[in-house]
Amino acid sequence: MAPHAEDAPTGLSSNGDHVPINAGQAPLEPGIKKSIAQGKMMEFPRPPKFEDKYKEREYLKGRLAAAFRIFGKYGFDEGVAGHITLRDPVQPDCFWVNPFGVAFSLINKSDLILVNHGGEVIDGGEVRLLNTAAYMIHSAIHAARPDVMCAAHSHSIYGRTWCSLGRKIDSLTQDSCAFHDDHVVYDSFNGVVLAEKEGKDIAACLGDKKAALLQNHGLLTVGKTIEEAVFWFVSLEKCCHSQLMAEAAAASRGEKPITIGAEEAAYTHRTVGRPASGWFSAKPLFDVVHKETNGDYLQ
């Protein structure tokens, strides 16, 4: 079944009818009366739905290849470190991942490899090297979190720098509110994750949150879609960068950055921190990569 196109300029009324959104109205405006907002919420695009799981697999593999191109574009590669995994819609106990040693910026859909629950590469491109750390971390997360379709981890510069502090990020900006009470610190470092126990410990620490700061290591994000997981990673990296600068600037004046109140942060999280928000926020990233590469990654 082909992806459904969604129309954005209408909303759903309380009885399910589509109603137009008038220019100038802001149904999400804080403090707006419920009677005014009701029926005026915009209907945004949503991820495509498929009846054929094999067609869904091919579509998602293309999105996963695009995700690696995005990571390469943002400089999230560090030698051969880093991985993004996709739960296979045909065999949900297996996942697709990048072949070990292939540059993010060169990955095509046909390069991806399929790994089963035992850590065996059972399908994929010519290079079938599997990063053991990728398997140990991601297999544990996919097993513990049936809701997670995608998980992303890399040694990005600001993320790994912040992770050396062993602290959560604060709600300093609207963007960081997406992670308000929705991320954890994994406060252990035992070298490269080559043991099954370490992967399970990371998954247990993550719990039901969208992100983990792996102490002395780097960022880990998850999502119900590839796009969501990718956007949370990109955004969390920028939030780490922002807080590092804010704390340095404030410290130079003997001050501390101003944090957003817990109630306001929680309210904002309900808008910018939802899975649908993550998917929609990532759409421009994928559109740009597709345009810049002329869809080369789909080979």
Side-chain angles (χ1 to χ4, degrees):
M1 183 176 181
H4 294 295
E6 299 286 346
D7 296 321
T10 63
L12 288 175
S13 65
S14 58
N15 61 8
D17 295 330
H18 285 270
V19 295
I21 300 297
N22 297 325
Q25 290 183 335
L28 293 179
E29 187 71 21
I32 195 168
K33 293 182 179 179
K34 184 177 180 181
S35 60
I36 297 176
Q38 189 173 19
K40 294 185 173 62
M41 297 294 288
M42 294 181 69
E43 183 178 345
F44 289 101
R46 295 183 177 89
K49 296 181 179 180
F50 297 84
E51 294 178 352
D52 187 323
K53 290 297 182 182
Y54 287 93
K55 290 183 178 179
E56 182 179 8
R57 169 193 275 177
E58 290 306 306
Y59 171 79
L60 292 177
K61 285 175 63 182
R63 299 303 272 181
L64 181 59
F68 285 111
R69 297 298 186 100
I70 291 170
F71 268 38
K73 177 182 174 69
Y74 276 87
F76 294 161
D77 46 355
E78 180 76 14
V80 297
H83 18 85
I84 311 175
T85 54
L86 162 70
R87 186 190 299 275
D88 183 46
V90 177
Q91 299 173 271
D93 61 343
C94 300
F95 61 79
W96 294 91
V97 67
N98 49 309
F100 199 24
V102 177
F104 289 172
S105 297
L106 299 178
I107 287 181
N108 293 328
K109 182 172 76 169
S110 59
D111 294 319
L112 300 170
I113 56 176
L114 182 63
V115 182
N116 68 14
H117 63 278
E120 300 172 305
V121 178
I122 58 175
D123 198 359
E126 293 182 4
V127 179
R128 297 199 172 188
L129 292 176
L130 172 64
N131 183 329
T132 301
Y135 170 72
M136 291 302 177
I137 296 173
H138 291 254
S139 62
I141 290 173
H142 283 294
R145 292 280 300 274
D147 62 308
V148 167
M149 176 63 74
C150 179
H153 167 66
S154 189
H155 300 175
S156 54
I157 185 64
Y158 298 108
R160 73 189 191 208
T161 301
W162 180 261
C163 287
S164 70
L165 304 179
R167 293 169 48 199
K168 290 184 180 181
I169 63 166
D170 297 323
S171 298
L172 298 183
T173 65
Q174 175 175 301
D175 303 285
S176 60
C177 287
F179 303 96
H180 177 74
D181 197 26
D182 205 4
H183 72 290
V184 300
V185 173
Y186 179 69
D187 59 355
S188 177
F189 180 76
N190 297 304
V192 179
V193 183
L194 301 178
E196 182 179 1
K197 180 181 183 301
E198 184 82 351
K200 289 183 176 180
D201 287 346
I202 291 173
C205 180
L206 176 65
D208 62 354
K209 308 302 184 185
K210 65 159 63 85
L213 307 176
L214 308 182
Q215 187 171 293
N216 305 111
H217 191 170
L219 308 180
L220 171 72
T221 59
V222 300
K224 295 182 178 180
T225 61
I226 296 168
E227 293 85 355
E228 183 193 352
V230 167
F231 182 74
W232 296 145
F233 193 99
V234 172
S235 185
L236 185 55
E237 167 74 358
K238 291 182 177 181
C239 287
C240 290
H241 187 183
S242 176
Q243 185 156 351
L244 285 166
M245 292 193 296
E247 292 200 356
S252 70
R253 298 168 57 89
E255 301 172 351
K256 292 184 178 181
I258 298 172
T259 59
I260 297 171
E263 183 178 351
E264 292 79 7
Y267 172 86
T268 306
H269 176 274
R270 291 194 292 272
T271 300
V272 302
R274 297 179 299 119
S277 301
W279 178 87
F280 188 65
S281 295
K283 184 180 179 297
L285 302 178
F286 283 78
D287 291 344
V288 169
V289 161
H290 186 79
K291 178 71 173 180
E292 291 180 343
T293 64
N294 198 30
D296 176 64
Y297 60 89
L298 292 174
Q299 295 181 36

